[in-house]
Amino acid sequence: MRSLRQFDLNLLVVFVTLMRERHVTRAAEALHLSQPALSHALKRLRELLNDPLLVRTEAGMQPTPRALYLLPSVQQALKLLEEGLAPPERFEPAKSRRRFVLATTDYFEEVMYPTFLSQLLAYAPEIGFSVELITPDVLSEGLEQRHVDMVVGLDSQAVLPVGVSQRPWMREELVCLAARDNTRVGEALTLEQFAAQRHVELADISGLRPSNIDNCLTQHALTRRVISKNLNYIAAARVVALTDAIMTLPRQMAERFLPILPVRLVAPPEELPSLTMTLIQHELYAHEPPIVWLEQQLRAFANGFLNNGLANKE
């Protein structure tokens, strides 16, 4: 037999069909080919395999010993190809026990995750989630090595590792938080007044994100003083409540502190950008049915979250 590189694999389908039909016209009809095309394919098979394969006898066309010897191997090869090329199995959330690992922000975990999980469990009762912090290792290695399925809620990134992609997910209005007795700020701030305040912010645990707020101030030849960088919103909000510093954060998160801390909302400068949250994943696994399903659920939840007035969308 000649090199496989010289062998048209479509001829294997012709071979199996001929062995089954043992009739050129019927094989051509089964393959939706013309009889001349099928006869040409048989000629090519005979040349490549150096064997007549089918011979006319008193009982009709009969396979040669060589053809009968090849048939099981060819059938098995075609079966393996069909199985390998078949679409991946459909993900069935109602039956799945898949555990997803999400790396996410305080905002998503506090504001959205409990409701998101409770809604999913109503029709996917056996699935589970693990929630982790977003770290540089998650973005550089965790996604590629499948330690994390998706990064949820991180602000848009200018630079990400090779193979890691981000897609816009939802936007949230930013507000400022100040202590109730903070006399340094009124109900709203201009950009100059904003820059003049002392600030509390969250530490950038991702290791990649430049501060969009600082970028905005730089564009207007302004800077600010950050007196405290905290790992979570509640600690940062408590610092705000006890000092004359302000904090800039998503509205839905800020409103959670109003009943429990002596703080108030302050309108930020119009120039500040909104929070553009993303879904980040590795392209190696982005088309796997469970990951496609997870992204669809997150997008549907975000749309409902916004449409129900729970967050503000630009």
Side-chain angles (χ1 to χ4, degrees):
M1 181 176 174
R2 299 183 184 181
S3 169
L4 187 61
R5 288 178 294 179
Q6 299 175 293
F7 202 95
D8 182 354
L9 294 182
N10 289 320
L11 292 176
L12 297 181
V13 179
V14 172
F15 172 75
V16 171
T17 307
L18 280 167
M19 293 300 102
R20 182 181 71 241
E21 300 294 340
R22 301 187 183 186
H23 193 283
V24 171
T25 300
R26 288 199 301 268
E29 291 173 351
L31 293 170
H32 304 287
L33 295 174
S34 67
Q35 185 169 333
L38 199 286
S39 295
H40 177 72
L42 177 56
K43 180 182 178 182
R44 289 284 296 138
L45 279 166
R46 285 168 168 167
E47 292 173 350
L48 289 166
L49 297 171
N50 194 29
D51 189 272
L53 301 178
L54 282 173
V55 176
R56 193 176 302 278
T57 71
E58 292 292 333
M61 298 287 283
Q62 294 296 319
T64 66
R66 170 72 166 155
L68 292 174
Y69 172 79
L70 286 173
L71 182 59
S73 297
V74 173
Q75 288 174 322
Q76 183 179 13
L78 288 176
K79 182 180 179 181
L80 289 173
L81 280 172
E82 288 176 355
E83 292 174 352
L85 296 174
E89 291 185 8
R90 181 181 176 185
F91 180 67
E92 298 186 56
K95 301 178 181 179
S96 175
R97 294 190 173 186
R98 171 70 182 263
R99 174 168 291 275
F100 295 96
V101 180
L102 304 180
T104 188
T105 61
D106 275 12
Y107 175 87
F108 174 78
E109 186 174 13
E110 168 65 26
V111 175
M112 303 179 73
Y113 175 72
T115 304
F116 173 70
L117 179 60
S118 67
Q119 290 182 3
L120 288 190
L121 290 177
Y123 65 94
E126 300 299 324
I127 65 168
F129 285 89
S130 295
V131 177
E132 298 185 0
L133 289 173
I134 303 171
T135 66
D137 286 345
V138 164
L139 294 167
S140 63
E141 300 174 7
L143 288 168
E144 182 174 338
Q145 296 178 7
R146 305 208 72 174
H147 301 317
V148 172
D149 292 304
M150 193 173 296
V151 176
V152 180
L154 190 63
D155 201 359
S156 57
Q157 303 292 302
V159 179
L160 286 169
V162 174
V164 175
S165 65
Q166 65 180 338
R167 296 175 178 86
W169 179 43
M170 61 177 289
R171 290 187 177 181
E172 168 69 296
E173 176 189 1
L174 292 177
V175 297
C176 293
L177 198 67
R180 288 178 193 161
D181 58 0
N182 185 342
T183 59
R184 292 170 54 87
V185 297
E187 296 181 355
L189 292 166
T190 67
L191 194 62
E192 290 75 14
Q193 291 171 336
F194 176 86
Q197 306 304 312
R198 299 198 292 180
H199 292 259
V200 176
E201 70 173 2
L202 290 191
D204 176 21
I205 55 177
S206 74
L208 294 177
R209 181 179 61 194
S211 168
N212 290 333
I213 293 175
D214 289 323
N215 287 343
C216 176
L217 292 174
T218 299
Q219 291 170 7
H220 292 83
L222 295 169
T223 59
R224 63 173 177 160
R225 181 187 173 201
V226 176
I227 64 167
S228 179
K229 287 191 175 186
N230 294 86
L231 293 177
N232 58 73
Y233 279 114
I234 184 62
R238 293 181 66 187
V239 172
V240 168
L242 297 173
T243 67
D244 61 359
I246 65 171
M247 179 185 181
T248 307
L249 69 170
R251 174 180 288 276
Q252 295 300 307
M253 180 62 77
E255 290 180 346
R256 277 165 163 69
F257 299 130
L258 300 183
I260 60 175
L261 292 172
V263 292
R264 59 189 172 92
L265 301 185
V266 177
E270 295 180 356
E271 294 88 345
L272 288 190
S274 61
L275 176 64
T276 303
M277 289 177 281
T278 63
L279 300 178
I280 299 176
Q281 55 191 305
H282 204 285
E283 287 300 317
L284 280 172
Y285 316 110
H287 299 289
E288 289 191 348
I291 302 302
V292 172
W293 175 83
L294 175 61
E295 180 173 351
Q296 291 171 344
Q297 302 312 304
L298 285 164
R299 291 196 178 281
F301 182 82
N303 288 336
F305 187 79
L306 297 168
N307 292 335
N308 290 332
L310 297 176
N312 299 302
K313 184 178 181 181
E314 287 191 344

